[in-house]
Amino acid sequence: MSDGPDEESPAASAPPADPESVARAICLRLLTMAPKTRAQLAEALRKRDVPDEAAEAVLDRFSELGLINDEAFAEAWVDSRHHGRGLAKRALAAELRHRGVDSETVNEAVERLDPDQEAETARRLVDRKLSSTRNLDPQTRTRRLAGMLARKGYPSGLAFRVIKEALEQEGVEVEEDYP
């Protein structure tokens, strides 16, 4: 049993696909699964040994057609991950850079987040986690809540301000010597 097409089938007599066709097929398949950045698609083509000039030609054409748009990707990513996971600007920027989005585009996308909106999201995260820490002393609660916010990219000043507000609303005395 052979690994290729049957000898009588049209596929057996077809010439091998040209690199640009292969690159187009790979990009289209990846883009139908989920939005991707240009850098992610370029990496996928590199891993599949698509020649650089064929990859660049296809990526340029897909960009012209609007199928690849790092700016739109970054904006959608920020909206989705901030509202869905509660991530702050710092964490969102790191995720976008990891996906190959250039620094200018990353900065523009994360700066769209309003500082008040970011603080409100931090408050919601703290409120959700607060009840699970009720049996702990205030220092431990503060440390755990601050750790959760830090992992989501919130700056320590904002984190401690939001935690202090939440604990005081519960009637818990908060010491002023936290970091």
Side-chain angles (χ1 to χ4, degrees), residues 24-53:
R24 270 192 301 278
I26 290 168
C27 288
L28 286 172
R29 184 173 40 78
L30 291 172
L31 287 168
T32 57
M33 292 189 290
K36 301 276 187 233
T37 64
R38 183 182 177 107
Q40 288 175 309
L41 292 170
E43 179 62 23
L45 295 175
R46 227 181 343 273
K47 284 181 179 176
R48 289 171 179 82
D49 298 322
V50 172
D52 288 345
E53 61 238 19

Side-chain angles (χ1 to χ4, degrees), residues 65-157:
L65 295 171
L67 296 172
I68 302 172
N69 184 336
D70 284 358
E71 290 82 9
F73 176 90
E75 286 179 18
W77 187 267
V78 166
D79 290 342
S80 169
R81 302 285 283 177
H82 178 73
H83 296 296
R85 302 266 325 273
L87 298 182
K89 290 179 182 181
R90 188 174 60 203
L92 293 165
E95 287 186 347
L96 287 170
R97 281 190 207 93
H98 179 72
R99 282 160 182 74
V101 178
D102 68 87
S103 292
E104 185 178 330
T105 303
V106 167
N107 292 338
E108 288 173 13
V110 297
E111 287 309 314
R112 290 178 54 241
L113 269 184
D114 182 294
D116 294 336
Q117 181 183 15
E118 194 174 36
E120 186 54 39
T121 302
R123 280 186 196 93
R124 276 198 313 274
L125 290 167
V126 167
D127 288 344
R128 259 197 322 232
K129 181 109 172 134
L130 205 56
S131 64
S132 69
T133 66
R134 283 225 166 81
N135 297 330
L136 303 171
D137 65 273
Q139 259 188 329
T140 304
R141 292 178 85 184
T142 301
R143 191 176 61 248
R144 287 194 183 173
L145 293 166
M148 179 263 304
L149 290 175
R151 286 187 297 279
K152 291 186 178 283
Y154 288 89
S156 61

Side-chain angles (χ1 to χ4, degrees), residues 56-71:
E56 280 303 308
V58 169
L59 293 172
D60 287 345
R61 181 65 179 143
F62 276 34
S63 293
E64 285 173 25
L65 295 171
L67 296 172
I68 302 172
N69 184 336
D70 284 358
E71 290 82 9

